[in-house]
Amino acid sequence: MKRRDLITGGLAAGAVLALPARALADDLTESFDRLFPKPAAAPAPLSAAVPAQPFTSTEYQRKVLAIAKREVERAGGKVWRRDIAGIADFAQASSQPRFHFANLENGTVRSFLVAHGRGSDPEHSGWLQSFSNEMGSNATSRGAYLTCEWYNGKYGTSIRLEGLDRDNSQALSRAIVMHPAAYAAPSMIATYGKLGRSEGCFAMAPEQFNEALWHLSGGRLLYADRIGVV
């Protein structure tokens, strides 16, 4: 077992049981599936509720899939499940569906809104200005993450993240996670033209966050960087 044996309770609303992270992720995923079974048909992607943008082209999707494949291969044995990877493209504004679920088995991409950290956008322009791995920066970090177990935190059921690169090595100690948040909902764009900001976490709309719980947690890869339009 190469993963850590214990994740301390400072990241959660209580102490985490002293189990190996992979076993804990599997146990919790099975519990979630029992409590919240998947619907017969997956919810429509958020992009269906947001006007289509020119960068959601087939060529762009191929680029997302290529990056997902590259990063999963680069992570090697650190990743436990290799079917789906999450790709966050922070070259796009927060008003765009810039968080992509890249399915490496069937070659499809589904895209959703995601917020960035307030420290990465101090003027709240809606655009990520910079990345940071520093404690207290409230900024988004670039790099590859391992999605670990889900837990009940400040925003409800959330997903822990372990940074795999030097640029996001403090993700656990900074409590950088995936979670639902009202400030990441499409209604924010209708009112303000942009999403609210997190403290560095990957925040998704509450009505869409089950997509991450079903398809991205439990040892998969999440990769964040500026990808941009091809």
Side-chain angles (χ1 to χ4, degrees):
M1 180 70 70
K2 296 182 179 179
R3 317 299 333 146
R4 63 197 180 284
D5 293 327
L6 179 65
I7 300 175
T8 57
L11 299 179
V16 177
L17 296 178
L19 293 173
R22 187 182 305 208
L24 184 56
D26 290 342
D27 289 345
L28 291 176
T29 299
E30 290 176 5
S31 298
F32 180 82
D33 289 341
R34 288 196 300 271
L35 292 172
F36 305 103
K38 296 180 184 179
L46 189 57
S47 53
V50 177
Q53 303 299 322
F55 46 72
T56 58
S57 65
T58 300
E59 188 177 2
Y60 178 76
Q61 291 182 350
R62 283 198 294 266
K63 184 175 183 179
V64 168
L65 287 165
I67 292 172
K69 183 176 184 293
R70 180 195 74 194
E71 291 302 316
V72 166
E73 290 176 350
R74 185 171 70 91
K78 296 176 182 177
V79 175
W80 313 333
R81 299 177 182 178
R82 307 169 71 87
D83 53 346
I84 297 174
I87 305 295
D89 182 3
F90 289 113
Q92 302 176 25
S94 67
S95 59
Q96 308 303 326
R98 58 185 179 172
F99 192 91
H100 311 296
F101 287 69
N103 191 314
L104 296 173
E105 294 185 337
N106 62 23
T108 60
V109 176
R110 302 179 66 224
S111 303
F112 301 86
L113 295 172
V114 69
H116 55 245
R118 66 181 67 251
S120 290
D121 180 13
E123 301 300 322
H124 201 183
S125 65
W127 295 84
L128 181 142
Q129 304 296 325
S130 62
F131 294 103
S132 178
N133 190 37
E134 296 299 318
M135 295 291 294
S137 67
N138 292 326
T140 298
S141 297
R142 63 161 33 113
Y145 298 80
L146 176 70
T147 65
C148 301
E149 78 278 4
W150 50 267
Y151 70 101
N152 189 38
K154 176 181 177 181
Y155 291 96
T157 306
S158 306
I159 303 171
R160 296 189 198 281
L161 299 174
E162 179 180 352
L164 302 180
D165 290 324
R166 182 177 63 181
D167 288 342
N168 62 2
S169 59
Q170 298 201 83
L172 278 174
S173 55
R174 291 180 61 209
I176 302 302
V177 302
M178 293 189 72
H179 66 73
Y183 60 74
S187 58
M188 296 294 291
I189 298 172
T191 303
Y192 302 105
K194 57 194 172 187
L195 298 183
R197 298 166 297 171
S198 70
E199 294 182 353
C201 295
F202 297 83
M204 294 178 63
E207 63 269 28
Q208 298 293 328
F209 189 66
N210 277 356
E211 292 279 346
L213 293 173
W214 291 329
H215 303 307
L216 199 58
S217 60
R220 294 180 174 89
L221 182 120
L222 187 163
Y223 180 72
D225 205 346
R226 290 187 178 95
I227 297 172
V229 182
V230 291

